Amino acid sequence: MESLPDTFCSRLLQDPTLYTVRAVIILDQDGHRLVAKYYDCTFPSLLEQQEFERKIFQKTQRPESEVILVDGVTALCQRLSDVMCYIIGGPDENELMLLSALTCLCESLCHILRKHVDRNSLLENIDTVFLILDEIIDQGVILECESQQVIQRFNFKMVSEQAFGFVLFDYITGSKEQRECQKRTEFE
């Protein structure tokens, strides 16, 4: 009976982990970084990150490349208008799980940005992009794969923040109006 190679056995015996995502990257049509969030130290320096982003951008210029293996990591990409969205996982990660997170990100961006996902709209709404990203992935752990849930949570947060802003505005302007009213009554 032939024994299995040690590397194969060691891969099978690795402890399962929830930390499946190593990075999320959004590049423009020229390969320049718009959004990048790295969750581990696979690419510790900015130079290494930029080199990696250049490599995956070059390899995904062909229309048939959705899943690629580059520099020992699995990269999945999806094109939205003039931007490319990437999700990076380890070499042994489940591609379907990564794809579901990437699809959730792209669908959420399309919905929140009203189907107008391009370089300018992403840069104008960079805070929204990071909020959506944080709703889906937290420190490399995929939290949500349903875009409707992300959109619902995001809309709830936006309504809550606006309500707080109006209450604060009313408080500030209300107290000023009350002071002016008191001054008028004292003056008369």
Side-chain angles (χ1 to χ4, degrees), residues 21-40:
V21 179
R22 293 189 179 184
V24 175
I25 304 165
I26 301 177
L27 304 176
D28 67 6
Q29 64 190 3
D30 300 323
H32 298 112
R33 178 191 290 192
L34 299 176
V35 175
K37 198 160 187 182
Y38 287 83
Y39 298 104
D40 71 355

Side-chain angles (χ1 to χ4, degrees), residues 42-71:
T42 304
F43 304 101
S45 72
L46 179 62
L47 224 54
E48 290 173 326
Q49 291 173 4
Q50 290 173 335
E51 179 64 23
F52 173 71
E53 292 166 12
R54 186 186 61 74
K55 284 180 184 178
I56 61 170
F57 181 74
Q58 287 176 346
K59 287 195 175 200
T60 55
Q61 289 305 300
R62 288 175 263 131
E64 71 274 357
S65 58
E66 285 185 355
V67 179
I68 59 170
L69 188 65
V70 60
D71 286 350

Side-chain angles (χ1 to χ4, degrees), residues 110-133:
C110 285
H111 183 81
I112 298 295
L113 297 177
R114 306 199 193 309
K115 300 193 189 299
H116 189 66
V117 181
D118 63 356
R119 181 183 194 280
N120 291 334
S121 64
L122 279 175
L123 291 176
E124 288 172 4
N125 298 290
I126 196 79
D127 57 336
T128 303
V129 174
F130 278 108
L131 281 173
I132 290 170
L133 191 54

Side-chain angles (χ1 to χ4, degrees), residues 60-101:
T60 55
Q61 289 305 300
R62 288 175 263 131
E64 71 274 357
S65 58
E66 285 185 355
V67 179
I68 59 170
L69 188 65
V70 60
D71 286 350
V73 296
T74 303
L76 282 78
C77 78
Q78 196 165 351
R79 183 180 300 274
L80 295 174
S81 182
D82 66 344
V83 297
M84 296 285 284
C85 298
Y86 299 92
I87 192 164
I88 313 300
D92 299 323
E93 290 302 333
N94 184 342
E95 290 91 359
L96 294 176
M97 190 70 165
L98 294 173
L99 181 62
S100 65

Side-chain angles (χ1 to χ4, degrees), residues 9-25:
C9 290
S10 66
R11 280 190 198 167
L12 288 177
L13 297 176
Q14 285 179 347
D15 291 332
T17 180
L18 292 174
Y19 299 97
T20 57
V21 179
R22 293 189 179 184
V24 175
I25 304 165

